[in-house]
Amino acid sequence: MKLVGSLLTLFLLLTTTLTAQKKYLTPDDYGKWQSLSYADISPNGEWIAYIVASQEENDTLYVKNRLTNKQYKLEFATNFELSKDNQWIAWQIGVSYKEAEKLRDQKLPIRYKMGLLNLATGKKEIIQDISSFRFSRNGKLLAVSLEPPKENKDKGAVLLLKKLADSSTRIIGNATTYAFNKKGDYLAYIVESANIAGNSVELFNLDNYSLKVIASDTCKFSKLTWQKEGEGLAFYKSFKKEGYEEENAMVYAYVNIYKAPALKTFDGTKYKGFPDSMRINNASNLVLSDDMNAAFFGIKSWTAKPKKEDKKADSSKTKTDTAKKADSTKNVAAAPPKKEDKMAAVDIWHWKDTEIQPRQKITYMQDKELSYQSVWNLDNNTFFQLAQEETPYAAFSDNRKWAVTYTNTKYRPAFKEDSADFYLVNARTGEKKLLFEKMLSGFYTGPQPSPEGKYLVYFKDKNWWSYNTATGQSVNLTEKTGATFWNTRDDHPATKPPFGFGGWLKGDKELLVYDEYNVWALNPDGKAARKLTDGEKEEIQYRVYRLDFEDPFIDDTKPIYLSAYGDKTKKFGFSRLEKNKLTKLLFEDAYLSRLVKAKDANVFTYSKQDYHISPELYTTENFGDSKQVVATNLQQQNYYWGKSELVSFTNKKGKPMQGALFYPANYEPGKQYPMIVYIYEILSNTVHMYASPSVRSAYNTSNYTTNGYFVFRPDIVYDINEPGTSAVDCVVPAVEQVLKTGMIDKNKIGLMGHSWGAYQTSFIITQTNLFKAACAGAPLTDLISMSMSIYWNSGIPDQKIFEISQGRFDGPWYDRMDAHIRNSPMFNADKIKTPLLVAFGDKDGAVDWHQGIEMYGTMRRMEKEHVMLVYADENHGLAKKENQIDYQKRQREWFDHFLLGKPAPSWIKEGTSYQDKMKALEKETKTP
């Protein structure tokens, strides 16, 4: 018994000592935290490479052999590429964190280097001042484009071509673009120098180091592109034509490079059927079809220069002629501005505008460069314009045999959902026919071509449909399945979208679509439908997880991988579908993501995290035992940390719901804690998400849990026309459910959110006194004026967002005035008793910052406790480091004062005058 007692005493002593060694996290510690960045695996599955990014230290690339545990540590890495022969890694090298900060402050660019490492020998080479690099497909060569010196007058840059076997290097001068073909036995590149006589397109044979100049001219070449299998290539040659303003172009195609190489050209100015008013647009994408029988490009109109004789004729008009003309048009039209008059800086906003002026400004370059997709058939030298002025947009099957063109002109302006007329065009004959009139043109509601072009697929009337391009027949693919494919969870006022689309199987054999929980395989002729999973049994949502995007289709002769998500449990994992059998591979009470497969081996990597587990990288061979490759933020073990759990509650309408609850660090049972409630829409799925603390991150869960707070993130669902009251009906019962645990001090609960979450924050405090402090970043406050505002980042009216999307009103404010007022924070501000902190950037392009001014003016007039922070030259989210740090600090001070009773800084008690701000700024400026 004495021995047992001694052992117990020793155990308790050790436990106490270990606990005592832990400490509470402070903002000074946040900069130590890391994140797991991009990871990849060599084709043979032997080498794993990943970047660990740090907040205030240097980012590091690690390369580890999973069989031998041999490891390389490479500092200052920003990205990397593993060679396809498993022998090399190349990576971009930046500068130290401190140097990067210094350059950013000085607004100077970072000049990058490149590292090359032999994985077997460890031999390393550094190349200075690079702009890009690329391995050949077979891994035998590496192309490196150097950053030209500032004084360089040439158009192109030096291109280094390294033969990795012997390190020999070929130097290619003045290359503007370069690309290896798929097999890796050819390198094509364009040369353009200050001396235009040296312009050329060259093809370098990497097997025998022979060079072929495909084309040379004083004109400029551009848009070099390989055919999919690398057996041919295409490019433009640009030229000016007398009498026209813009450049024209010729299309070059060099095809059949392995069998019977041939160079073919197309010049629209010499082709009889080419539109006289159009030119080949050298800014448009250029695509060579898989069979190398067709080249696709864009054409657009060009501007004829005024003829000299026309100018002479104009100038020869007599004063009498001019006077007569002026008299005949008296009181009809204003005189045109004189040449010396400056053009007025005015935009004309017209009620008939199909797109409002702000949208037109944002899409100006896109509209200006709009090209009409066209085809040149190389085999018979025919040309067809596939997209027309009346149907300017086109989508192609992957083999480019069919195009779907469409127009929405007749249905604009579209105040609600967008509609269009769709046409089917034979890309090889130009034959065109109308498919659908006034069909919704949202994601997958409009017809999309299958990879081989045998079918079009679209979603209509809550079902998936196919259209056979050969027979012209449309078939409903899902009506007889008994399953529901429209998104029953979608609570927006628009037409309900599908749950989703997983892709096509090879050969257009079947298409994969989703219901609420399952993946279905639909025969596009409508004769069969197969349910591939049984997710509804355990409420697991299965979705296709693409590991290889090289082909546009899914090869079902190989395993198909699926993500798996526990709808109620919030578990994450992966499953495999092979020969109609579903195998569960991983399914854990954690967040699993970033699944990557080695191209030539059944070796995988994936990441794992939970709120209390910093992201870890694992490797597994065919999902046998998993081995940890790396765990980030090992310093976390020195600090107190929290945990997370799901909370179930029922909203006011009786709907079962969930939320994610995060515990404070070093939680002590029986003690009551303050709580911050963060809201947006559905957030319970973040229960396993790790949150690195950061001085630059407001609303940060770990910033608060490590400071003694609970953080709660409840789900919110909506009723049409009641966005604010819906939020109240969810959030208040959710918080009341957590209060039943006894862990929370009901007098110390705060509420916060950003954007839509900020709107709901501002509104909820008008309906309840449950919250003792609130923080709203860029909130909507007056739903009437907001619905009439503009989403400046995209240039579209907020009306559309209000009536089909997040606003969740099924009509305009003047038809739903009571609902808009009833759900507006500003119109209910008289009931607010909660101190409210609001933050805006004065260049907010999502929520006009005048929404904040309206709320500020209202609350100030009502003499309610309110502060608004306005950050200069900031958009919807703060981008400048100093502003991010400032907002995070003030937000924390706000809650610490009102919830924890800490002394209020002067900015909370009495604000900061502009004069005091300028004094502080002048003092900072004078400080050396």
Side-chain angles (χ1 to χ4, degrees):
M1 290 296 292
K2 288 184 178 179
L3 178 61
V4 172
S6 299
L7 289 173
L8 181 60
T9 302
L10 179 61
F11 173 76
L12 291 172
L13 179 63
L14 287 172
T15 304
T16 304
T17 303
L18 288 171
T19 304
Q21 288 175 348
K22 287 184 179 290
K23 53 187 176 180
Y24 286 98
L25 199 66
T26 69
D28 292 337
D29 301 313
Y30 293 174
K32 302 173 185 176
W33 255 252
Q34 309 160 326
S35 61
L36 186 59
S37 188
Y38 174 63
D40 201 6
I41 187 167
S42 61
N44 65 359
E46 186 174 340
W47 291 94
I48 297 167
Y50 56 93
I51 292 177
V52 175
S54 182
Q55 290 188 35
E56 294 183 2
E57 294 178 5
N58 303 325
D59 295 348
T60 304
L61 168 64
Y62 294 89
V63 193
K64 187 173 184 178
N65 189 301
R66 71 178 188 89
L67 302 177
T68 66
N69 288 325
K70 184 177 183 179
Q71 179 172 286
Y72 299 103
K73 179 181 178 182
L74 309 167
E75 283 195 317
F76 312 140
T78 56
N79 62 56
F80 65 87
E81 182 183 353
L82 287 159
S83 67
K84 300 301 184 290
D85 66 350
N86 311 293
Q87 301 297 312
W88 304 85
I89 188 168
W91 71 101
Q92 181 172 280
I93 303 172
V95 295
S96 69
Y97 171 80
K98 290 182 179 179
E99 180 65 18
E101 287 280 284
K102 181 180 177 181
L103 291 171
R104 274 191 286 270
D105 290 341
Q106 296 173 346
K107 296 182 179 179
L108 295 173
I110 296 174
R111 292 186 75 89
Y112 291 96
K113 297 178 283 188
M114 190 209 78
L116 178 65
L117 176 70
N118 185 310
L119 295 173
T121 66
K123 184 180 179 182
K124 188 191 302 183
E125 179 182 354
I126 304 297
I127 300 175
Q128 303 289 332
D129 291 330
I130 63 99
S131 59
S132 67
F133 56 86
R134 199 174 305 156
F135 284 110
S136 62
R137 182 66 171 259
N138 56 20
K140 295 180 179 179
L141 295 110
L142 174 70
V144 184
S145 180
L146 302 185
E147 193 73 46
K150 293 179 180 179
E151 65 276 8
N152 182 60
K153 295 181 180 180
D154 288 323
K155 307 293 183 182
V158 172
L159 181 66
L160 305 180
L161 181 62
K162 295 184 67 66
K163 196 172 184 178
L164 298 174
D166 59 10
S167 296
S168 59
T169 302
R170 181 184 179 91
I171 299 175
I172 301 166
N174 304 319
T176 58
T177 188
Y178 65 97
F180 291 106
N181 69 340
K182 185 174 181 178
K183 293 181 180 179
D185 53 1
Y186 280 99
L187 174 72
Y189 54 89
I190 293 174
V191 171
E192 185 177 356
S193 64
N195 185 338
I196 59 176
N199 294 349
S200 62
V201 178
E202 301 179 3
L203 186 64
F204 193 62
N205 187 315
L206 302 175
D207 288 336
N208 58 27
Y209 263 43
S210 62
L211 180 66
K212 180 177 179 60
V213 177
I214 298 174
S216 61
D217 207 301
T218 56
C219 298
K220 183 179 74 172
F221 297 98
S222 63
K223 292 288 181 179
L224 181 70
T225 178
W226 280 101
Q227 173 254 14
K228 180 184 175 183
E229 297 301 321
E231 298 175 359
L233 54 90
F235 52 90
Y236 291 132
K237 182 180 82 172
S238 302
F239 62 92
K240 296 283 285 185
K241 187 176 180 183
E242 187 177 353
Y244 290 90
E245 297 283 357
E246 302 91 352
E247 283 186 330
N248 202 332
M250 288 176 59
V251 179
Y252 280 65
Y254 188 65
V255 297
N256 297 315
I257 62 174
Y258 293 111
K259 298 177 181 177
L263 179 65
K264 300 184 179 184
T265 60
F266 179 78
D267 184 351
T269 62
K270 297 178 181 177
Y271 187 85
K272 188 176 180 181
F274 196 89
D276 291 336
S277 61
M278 310 290 277
R279 62 186 174 90
I280 295 174
N281 182 12
N282 59 6
S284 65
N285 286 334
L286 178 61
V287 176
L288 189 60
S289 64
D290 294 352
D291 60 11
M292 295 181 287
N293 284 330
F296 296 83
F297 48 88
I299 67 172
K300 68 189 314 299
S301 60
W302 58 356
T303 310
K305 293 180 180 178
K307 295 181 180 179
K308 291 181 180 180
E309 52 267 30
D310 290 344
K311 291 182 179 179
K312 289 179 182 178
D314 289 341
S315 62
S316 65
K317 289 182 179 180
T318 64
K319 291 182 180 180
T320 305
D321 291 336
T322 305
K324 285 180 180 178
K325 185 173 180 181
D327 186 61
S328 66
T329 59
K330 194 174 183 180
N331 298 324
V332 175
K338 297 176 183 178
K339 272 188 175 181
E340 59 269 21
D341 292 342
K342 285 187 70 174
M343 186 175 174
V346 60
D347 294 330
I348 299 173
W349 295 46
H350 197 279
W351 70 279
K352 290 183 179 179
D353 287 340
T354 55
E355 297 285 2
I356 63 173
Q357 287 284 325
R359 179 63 179 169
Q360 292 179 42
K361 289 180 180 180
I362 285 176
T363 63
Y364 169 70
M365 289 307 299
Q366 175 185 326
D367 297 338
K368 181 183 176 184
E369 295 300 329
L370 177 65
S371 300
Y372 302 125
Q373 284 293 304
S374 303
V375 61
W376 162 44
N377 293 303
L378 282 69
D379 49 357
N380 57 17
N381 197 36
T382 56
F383 166 85
F384 298 104
Q385 183 179 336
L386 305 176
Q388 312 286 336
E389 185 176 358
E390 62 273 15
T391 53
Y393 310 108
F396 289 90
S397 60
D398 287 278
N399 63 5
R400 293 265 163 169
K401 290 184 178 179
W402 295 95
V404 173
T405 63
Y406 56 101
T407 178
N408 57 12
T409 304
K410 288 193 294 186
Y411 313 112
R412 296 166 71 196
F415 296 110
K416 288 197 172 185
E417 295 175 88
D418 294 308
S419 297
D421 295 338
F422 292 88
Y423 295 80
L424 181 66
V425 184
N426 187 315
R428 302 304 168 87
T429 66
E431 181 185 355
K432 172 181 174 182
K433 65 176 177 178
L434 177 66
L435 286 173
F436 307 106
E437 287 188 280
K438 203 176 182 180
M439 175 182 272
L440 292 179
S441 57
F443 185 68
Y444 272 108
T445 51
Q448 306 289 322
S450 62
E452 294 193 4
K454 297 175 183 177
Y455 299 93
L456 310 177
V457 62
Y458 55 97
F459 193 79
K460 185 183 75 168
D461 300 331
K462 298 183 178 180
N463 281 285
W464 285 101
W465 296 69
S466 73
Y467 175 91
N468 188 309
T469 56
T471 66
Q473 297 298 308
S474 289
V475 179
N476 188 320
L477 305 179
T478 51
E479 64 178 341
K480 295 179 181 179
T481 62
T484 301
F485 294 91
W486 60 278
N487 192 338
T488 55
R489 301 185 180 200
D490 188 279
D491 54 16
H492 299 94
T495 301
K496 302 306 178 189
F499 271 110
F501 181 82
W504 284 87
L505 299 188
K506 187 176 182 180
D508 290 358
K509 183 170 58 177
E510 289 178 306
L511 60 149
L512 304 181
V513 300
Y514 308 138
D515 68 13
E516 186 174 21
Y517 291 109
N518 298 299
V519 181
W520 287 71
L522 308 177
N523 193 313
D525 62 10
K527 293 180 180 178
R530 300 182 295 130
K531 190 172 70 153
L532 304 179
T533 59
D534 287 308
E536 71 278 5
K537 291 181 179 179
E538 299 178 74
E539 294 184 299
I540 297 174
Q541 290 182 342
Y542 291 102
R543 299 296 184 253
V544 174
Y545 197 102
R546 294 288 297 269
L547 296 175
D548 185 353
F549 290 90
E550 183 171 330
D551 293 312
F553 53 79
I554 298 169
D555 187 352
D556 61 331
T557 63
K558 301 175 182 178
I560 298 174
Y561 292 89
L562 309 176
S563 65
Y565 168 64
D567 188 28
K568 301 297 189 297
T569 64
K570 311 306 175 189
K571 291 182 178 181
F572 289 84
F574 305 102
S575 294
R576 180 171 57 219
L577 189 65
E578 189 172 17
K579 296 179 181 179
N580 297 321
K581 180 183 178 182
L582 184 69
T583 303
K584 189 179 290 185
L585 304 172
L586 295 168
F587 197 57
E588 299 184 23
D589 208 6
Y591 179 56
L592 306 184
S593 62
R594 298 185 180 185
L595 184 65
V596 177
K597 181 184 179 299
K599 185 172 180 59
D600 303 322
N602 282 324
V603 178
F604 301 78
T605 60
Y606 64 91
S607 67
K608 174 183 176 179
Q609 63 178 280
D610 204 341
Y611 177 64
H612 63 288
I613 301 174
S614 183
E616 302 167 338
L617 185 66
Y618 285 84
T619 182
T620 177
E621 189 164 357
N622 207 25
F623 294 94
D625 292 338
S626 292
K627 295 181 180 179
Q628 188 185 93
V629 178
V630 64
T632 56
N633 296 314
L634 296 180
Q635 76 281 357
Q636 181 182 310
Q637 63 189 334
N638 301 323
Y639 299 91
Y640 294 117
W641 203 261
K643 64 176 183 177
S644 63
E645 67 182 22
L646 282 170
V647 173
S648 296
F649 66 95
T650 302
N651 75 354
K652 192 175 180 181
K653 296 294 181 68
K655 181 179 177 63
M657 301 185 66
Q658 294 178 300
L661 182 65
F662 302 85
Y663 280 64
N666 198 27
Y667 166 72
E668 298 176 25
K671 180 180 175 181
Q672 286 195 326
Y673 289 83
M675 181 170 74
I676 302 291
V677 181
Y678 176 82
I679 57 174
Y680 194 77
E681 290 189 359
I682 301 297
L683 292 174
S684 62
N685 54 9
T686 66
V687 68
H688 297 304
M689 300 295 186
Y690 186 81
S692 292
S694 171
V695 293
R696 299 176 63 167
S697 173
Y699 318 107
N700 185 294
T701 298
S702 295
N703 285 7
Y704 286 100
T705 59
T706 55
N707 194 38
Y709 289 90
F710 272 91
V711 174
F712 186 38
R713 297 159 71 97
D715 289 343
I716 302 173
V717 295
Y718 301 88
D719 295 323
I720 300 301
N721 296 318
E722 300 294 343
T725 56
S726 294
V728 176
D729 290 348
C730 294
V731 174
V732 172
V735 173
E736 290 173 343
Q737 183 65 37
V738 177
L739 283 173
K740 291 177 184 178
T741 65
M743 299 185 297
I744 311 302
D745 186 334
K746 67 179 181 180
N747 296 312
K748 296 180 179 180
I749 305 175
L751 181 64
M752 67 180 182
H754 184 76
S755 191
W756 185 248
Y759 153 66
Q760 295 170 118
T761 295
S762 303
F763 181 78
I764 288 171
I765 62 174
T766 70
Q767 306 296 303
T768 178
N769 296 324
L770 187 59
F771 301 99
K772 306 310 175 187
C775 176
L780 297 69
T781 63
D782 175 354
L783 297 190
I784 292 179
S785 64
M786 184 64 201
S787 71
M788 292 295 100
S789 187
I790 292 167
Y791 200 106
W792 295 103
N793 288 339
S794 63
I796 64 174
D798 279 314
Q799 296 164 317
K800 204 162 188 175
I801 298 174
F802 265 60
E803 294 183 44
I804 68 170
S805 183
Q806 198 166 42
R808 294 180 172 87
F809 289 97
D810 61 3
W813 71 267
Y814 48 83
D815 286 339
R816 305 286 184 273
M817 185 181 294
D818 289 345
H820 279 70
I821 292 174
R822 185 168 60 248
N823 287 274
S824 290
M826 193 190 75
F827 292 119
N828 294 276
D830 60 312
K831 297 188 283 289
I832 294 178
K833 294 182 179 179
T834 304
L836 175 64
L837 175 67
V838 165
F840 263 103
D842 66 3
K843 296 292 188 298
D844 195 320
V847 179
D848 193 312
W849 80 286
H850 289 84
Q851 289 289 302
I853 294 175
E854 288 189 42
M855 194 68 173
Y856 171 77
T858 300
M859 293 192 72
R860 181 173 181 269
R861 181 65 181 84
M862 292 177 176
E863 298 185 80
K864 291 182 178 291
E865 210 156 7
H866 173 55
V867 173
M868 181 166 71
L869 308 174
V870 180
Y871 291 93
D873 300 316
E874 291 280 18
N875 203 305
H876 194 49
L878 302 181
K880 298 176 183 177
K881 179 182 178 181
E882 60 271 21
N883 292 340
Q884 293 171 337
I885 293 173
D886 182 83
Y887 182 38
Q888 182 273 147
K889 180 174 178 288
R890 293 183 193 275
Q891 185 190 78
R892 182 163 168 170
E893 289 174 344
W894 184 264
F895 285 124
D896 282 356
H897 170 62
F898 288 106
L899 301 186
L900 303 186
K902 291 185 178 181
S906 60
W907 70 269
I908 293 179
K909 289 192 296 183
E910 55 198 31
T912 303
S913 71
Y914 186 74
Q915 188 175 23
D916 288 343
K917 173 191 167 183
M918 294 309 294
K919 282 181 180 178
L921 187 62
E922 289 168 5
K923 184 178 180 181
E924 181 186 66
T925 305
K926 290 177 182 178
T927 303

